[in-house]
Amino acid sequence: MTGRFTVRPEHRLHSGPEYDRAYRQGVRAGDHLFAVNVVPNALPHARLGMSVSTKSVGNAVERNRVRRLVREVFRHRREELPALDFVVTTRPGARGAARAELVASLERLMTVAVRKASTDTARPGNPSRDRR
């Protein structure tokens, strides 16, 4: 796919240490469908990483459906997102959930995570401000 909604390599997380950093140092927002971890990055744009497991979603067809949906939500919101690394993890409630429910949940969690990250880095003396 080409065009402005493509998730280009520079907008993706690629290595284990990038995911580990989001899990260790980031803030999290979650519900029964997804958990979203976010951590500031030193780039001028947001990046996306996903962890979609067989245990939480099901077979390859279902995992790929959820991955496409997560990428779609990220692509549509990418321009308005601050310079954060987002790691989206599925939870067992995502198995068999309707598309509209998944989209609504993910959009809400991304908004909550961005708000939490901005208040977390704004606090004086917060060491996460120095980790960028």
Side-chain angles (χ1 to χ4, degrees), residues 27-30 38 107-117:
V27 295
R28 179 176 28 209
V38 296
E107 287 180 342
R108 183 182 61 76
L109 290 175
M110 288 176 90
T111 301
V112 169
V114 166
R115 188 172 350 107
K116 280 184 172 184

Side-chain angles (χ1 to χ4, degrees), residues 59-129:
N59 64 24
V61 172
E62 291 301 312
R63 289 194 316 273
N64 289 329
R65 177 181 74 91
V66 171
R67 283 187 193 109
R68 284 191 302 271
L69 185 136
V70 170
R71 281 192 301 265
E72 178 182 353
V73 170
F74 179 77
R75 282 191 303 255
H76 286 284
R77 297 197 61 191
R78 181 174 59 208
E79 296 301 321
E80 67 190 52
L81 294 173
L84 296 170
D85 288 343
F86 290 81
V87 176
V88 177
T89 306
T90 54
R91 292 198 169 153
R95 183 187 297 255
R99 175 181 165 70
E101 184 181 7
L102 292 170
V103 169
S105 170
L106 189 54
E107 287 180 342
R108 183 182 61 76
L109 290 175
M110 288 176 90
T111 301
V112 169
V114 166
R115 188 172 350 107
K116 280 184 172 184
S118 66
T119 58
D120 185 51
T121 58
R123 281 187 276 155
N126 187 346
S128 68
R129 290 173 30 169

Side-chain angles (χ1 to χ4, degrees), residues 20-66:
D20 291 341
R21 182 172 169 268
Y23 290 130
R24 270 193 337 272
Q25 299 175 2
V27 295
R28 179 176 28 209
D31 62 12
H32 68 289
L33 301 174
F34 297 104
V36 178
N37 291 63
V38 296
V39 65
N41 66 39
L43 303 169
H45 53 78
R47 297 189 303 174
L48 174 68
M50 293 181 279
S51 176
V52 182
S53 71
T54 302
K55 185 176 181 179
S56 65
V57 179
N59 64 24
V61 172
E62 291 301 312
R63 289 194 316 273
N64 289 329
R65 177 181 74 91
V66 171

